[in-house]
């Protein structure tokens, strides 16, 4: 068994705190997940005791978990809480299943629901105050893409079939093996990780479109002094602080140590998993960000927020395919 929180009482305590916060928050000011209207009122309860809400705009009723990872789940919330806890560690699907007490198949669905919500959340990240920016790169892993029915048309090249090195020459250069990852973090612990582009060439003026909205509320930006960042800061009226790459020294409160730490975590992840899965690049980046945030956040507020993230992963999309068996070995 895993050496992690084993104290069931502690887990139950946490769960009820989160549940209370959820019910309170949701019932108070709920935005309709279907039409976006705020004209939503309480409307009795479902058989399982869950609060039912009614939207006067689109005249639909739904539970407080509509559009989140908890929508349609038959599992108790404590199982989800446990699963979120174990996902903050780099454990594989089997270990996660064992810890949360669910089947391997369920473990797969839970993981992908959560990763989907995390990736959606990443699209809304806004940094503020002092922030650090720098790109890193990582290898893409093509595992899980072998089956015909799972052919991903957007793949930059065919998957290697008998080991990376031996097949490399058949597909030319390794140009498309790498991705550039946009990476930004502020002092409140908000993390932005996104695939900037596929390939080995570094970014240029693209940084404007990638980071533009994310750093709208930033006052000071610490970077490696790359010209595109200078231009970006000028345009946005942000104070720019340049540091040499790999420089660990601080100038007062300014440094790029946080973003370097995130780079090291991405590197650690890709070494362990032979790259980031090509199918879910942004999802896995969101997962890496989640793990870093788990270390530094108040678990109760953090998880309460997470339970409200928008989740668009639907189990029905995957029923009847070999999707699960293909992916069960993935970390
Ligand atoms: Zn509505």
């Amino acid at each position: 068994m895993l050496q992690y929180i084993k104290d069931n009482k502690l887990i139950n305590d946490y769960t009820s705190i989160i549940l209370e916060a959820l019910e309170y928050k949701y019932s108070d000011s709920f935005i309709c997940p279907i039409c976006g209207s705020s004209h939503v009122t309480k409307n009795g309860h479902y058989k399982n005791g869950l609060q039912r809400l009614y939207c006067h705009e689109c005249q639909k009723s739904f539970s407080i978990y509509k559009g989140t990872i908890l929508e349609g789940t038959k599992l108790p919330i404590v199982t989800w809480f446990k699963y979120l806890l174990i996902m903050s560690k780099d454990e594989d699907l089997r270990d996660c299943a064992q810890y949360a007490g669910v089947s391997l198949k369920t473990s797969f669905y839970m993981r992908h629901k959560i990763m989907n919500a995390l990736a959606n959340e990443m699209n809304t990240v806004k940094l503020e105050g002092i922030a650090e920016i720098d790109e890193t790169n990582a290898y893409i892993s093509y595992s899980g893409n072998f089956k015909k029915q799972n052919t991903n048309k957007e793949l930059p090249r065919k998957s290697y079939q008998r080991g990376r090195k031996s097949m490399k020459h058949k597909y030319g250069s390794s140009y498309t093996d790498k991705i550039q990852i946009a990476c930004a973090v502020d002092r409140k612990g908000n993390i932005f990780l996104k695939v900037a582009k596929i390939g080995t060439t570094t970014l240029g003026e693209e940084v404007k479109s990638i980071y533009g909205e994310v750093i709208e509320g930033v006052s000071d930006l610490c970077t490696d002094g790359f010209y595109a960042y200078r231009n970006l800061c000028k345009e946005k009226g942000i104070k720019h602080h340049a540091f040499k790459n790999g420089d660990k020294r601080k100038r007062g409160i300014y440094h790029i140590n946080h973003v370097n730490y995130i780079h090291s975590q991405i590197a650690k992840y890709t070494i362990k998993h032979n790259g980031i899965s090509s199918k879910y690049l942004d999802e896995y980046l969101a997962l890496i960000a989640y793990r870093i945030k788990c270390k530094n956040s108040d678990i109760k507020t953090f998880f309460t927020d997470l339970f409200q993230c928008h989740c668009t992963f639907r189990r029905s999309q995957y029923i009847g395919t070999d999707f699960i068996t293909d992916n069960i070995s993935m970390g």
Side-chain angles (χ1 to χ4, degrees):
M1 276 302 280
L2 297 149
Q3 298 297 314
Y4 204 46
I5 300 186
K6 282 182 183 167
D7 185 350
N8 277 326
K9 193 186 170 300
L10 190 67
I11 289 176
N12 282 330
D13 285 352
Y14 271 125
T15 309
S16 48
I17 291 168
I18 291 170
L19 199 59
E20 231 167 77
L22 275 179
E23 299 245 344
Y24 175 76
K25 236 173 173 167
Y26 273 138
S27 316
D28 219 31
S29 59
F30 198 86
I31 305 285
C32 173
I34 300 161
C35 72
S37 162
S38 58
H39 196 186
V40 176
T41 51
K42 287 185 189 179
N43 186 23
H45 290 84
Y46 285 97
K47 270 182 197 162
N48 56 10
L50 216 55
Q51 178 72 54
R52 190 207 308 263
L53 299 164
Y54 179 75
C55 172
H56 294 266
E57 201 64 40
C58 65
Q59 305 186 339
K60 294 215 165 76
S61 41
F62 39 82
S63 88
I64 56 169
Y65 297 143
K66 175 86 182 163
T68 73
I69 52 173
L70 297 174
E71 180 180 348
T73 186
K74 291 191 177 89
L75 297 164
I77 195 166
V78 65
T79 307
W80 282 95
F81 180 63
K82 273 184 156 183
Y83 205 90
L84 284 168
L85 277 178
I86 190 68
M87 256 182 92
S88 68
K89 306 270 163 200
D90 197 355
E91 303 287 354
D92 66 19
L93 281 175
R94 272 189 183 78
D95 287 334
C96 291
Q98 196 182 15
Y99 179 77
V102 296
S103 73
L104 197 53
K105 214 172 173 178
T106 306
S107 175
F108 171 83
Y109 282 123
M110 290 175 91
R111 166 173 300 217
H112 278 271
K113 263 187 147 180
I114 292 167
M115 289 208 311
N116 175 280
L118 291 172
N120 286 339
E121 187 67 1
M122 190 61 85
N123 291 327
T124 66
V125 169
K126 298 268 184 279
L127 306 184
E128 46 190 290
I130 303 170
E132 304 166 30
I133 277 191
D134 197 11
E135 278 93 51
T136 186
N137 55 56
Y139 278 104
I140 307 176
S141 137
Y142 290 86
S143 61
N145 278 309
F146 299 117
K147 284 266 166 72
K148 246 186 193 161
Q149 62 265 42
N150 284 329
T151 306
N152 184 341
K153 291 205 176 78
E154 284 165 26
L155 274 185
R157 63 154 172 75
K158 280 186 180 179
S159 51
Y160 298 129
Q161 300 197 347
R162 282 186 207 120
R164 190 167 220 130
K165 276 170 197 153
S166 60
M167 295 298 280
K168 214 164 202 167
H169 63 281
K170 291 206 170 175
Y171 301 108
S173 78
S174 60
Y175 173 74
T176 51
D177 271 345
K178 275 194 167 180
I179 44 166
Q180 303 296 319
I181 300 168
C183 186
V185 56
D186 68 12
R187 296 294 156 85
K188 285 194 172 156
N190 294 311
I191 299 171
F192 173 76
L193 284 185
K194 202 103 192 126
V195 176
K197 69 174 172 191
I198 292 172
T200 51
T201 45
T202 48
L203 299 177
E205 293 294 337
E206 299 108 304
V207 297
K208 277 182 195 163
S209 58
I210 295 164
Y211 295 111
E213 281 181 27
V214 180
I215 60 165
E216 212 62 69
V218 168
S219 60
D220 294 81
L221 199 61
C222 306
T223 78
D224 60 1
F226 185 49
Y227 76 94
Y229 296 139
R230 284 180 195 280
N231 294 346
L232 181 66
C233 286
K234 225 181 216 172
E235 197 176 282
K236 299 266 175 200
I238 295 169
K239 236 176 147 191
H240 184 241
H241 306 266
F243 293 82
K244 259 188 204 148
N245 231 334
D247 191 352
K248 283 189 180 149
R249 275 172 304 173
K250 299 179 179 181
R251 279 202 301 273
I253 46 172
Y254 304 110
H255 58 82
I256 50 170
N257 293 353
H258 292 132
V259 79
N260 283 333
Y261 173 74
I262 294 171
H263 287 185
S264 73
Q265 293 302 304
I266 294 173
K268 223 167 135 187
Y269 178 91
T270 50
I271 289 167
K272 185 170 174 188
H273 300 278
N274 295 318
I276 299 174
S277 170
S278 60
K279 270 201 213 164
Y280 306 102
L281 286 172
D282 281 326
E283 275 89 345
Y284 277 100
L285 287 179
L287 180 63
I288 294 169
Y290 166 73
R291 285 175 179 157
I292 296 168
K293 279 198 260 179
C294 273
K295 279 183 198 155
N296 311 315
S297 307
D298 169 50
I299 291 294
K300 279 169 274 183
T301 19
F302 182 49
F303 281 9
T304 306
D305 289 343
L306 189 57
F307 276 125
Q308 293 174 78
C309 289
H310 192 56
C311 173
T312 46
F313 181 94
R314 291 292 166 262
R315 194 183 168 122
S316 54
Q317 293 164 356
Y318 299 94
I319 285 172
T321 67
D322 280 347
F323 187 73
I324 306 163
T325 39
D326 275 359
N327 286 282
I328 219 94
S329 59
M330 278 170 20

